[in-house]
Amino acid sequence: MATLAKQGEVIDAPFTKVEKESIYPEGEEAWKRYLNKTFRYPQDAVNDEIQGTVVVQFIVDKEGMVSDVVAISGPEKGGLREEAVRVVKKSGRWIPAIQNGRQVKSYKKQPITFRLQAE
């Protein structure tokens, strides 16, 4: 949340709660298409039959740029966390969150589910 510093200077810290969350351009279906097109199932995870949901946390700034991407939960082996982080970093510009009628920097948590196809 933005806070005031000495002499009225505004510190631009990310919001954790906002009126309107940041979203991927063109919505949820476009996000799913992007994920399906972009992610590569890590071979180590395929070999070890590792699947699950990775939750990635990141910041979307006022201009919609993504930064500080980190996996905060999910399988630790097989490279799924690393792949989820890679895909979010490549996702391009998002539509920023809105707070009090203006675009703000905010945290976003995005679950990404990895499932192996049955043969």
Side-chain angles (χ1 to χ4, degrees), residues 18-31 58-67 88 91-99 101-110:
V18 291
E19 293 168 10
K20 187 174 177 187
E21 288 284 331
S22 56
I23 58 169
Y24 189 74
E26 301 173 36
E28 190 66 28
E29 288 304 312
W31 174 244
F58 53 101
I59 292 174
V60 176
D61 70 15
K62 294 178 196 178
E63 288 77 40
M65 301 306 293
V66 171
S67 65
V88 170
S91 65
R93 195 170 285 224
W94 288 59
I95 297 169
I98 302 291
Q99 182 69 23
R102 63 186 175 90
Q103 294 180 335
V104 294
K105 182 191 295 187
S106 68
Y107 283 104
K108 176 91 175 162
K109 288 184 182 173
Q110 180 67 56

Side-chain angles (χ1 to χ4, degrees), residues 22-79:
S22 56
I23 58 169
Y24 189 74
E26 301 173 36
E28 190 66 28
E29 288 304 312
W31 174 244
K32 289 176 185 176
R33 282 192 304 275
Y34 167 77
L35 289 176
N36 286 328
K37 183 178 80 173
T38 308
F39 88 83
R40 296 185 298 266
Y41 216 108
Q43 193 59 49
D44 287 347
V46 172
N47 294 344
D48 295 337
E49 298 181 1
I50 298 171
Q51 50 188 357
T53 300
V54 175
V55 177
V56 178
Q57 178 179 283
F58 53 101
I59 292 174
V60 176
D61 70 15
K62 294 178 196 178
E63 288 77 40
M65 301 306 293
V66 171
S67 65
D68 297 348
V69 183
V70 62
I72 59 173
S73 69
E76 294 191 18
K77 295 183 180 178

Side-chain angles (χ1 to χ4, degrees), residues 2-12:
T3 57
L4 292 178
K6 292 179 186 172
Q7 299 174 15
E9 183 181 353
V10 175
I11 298 172
D12 191 28

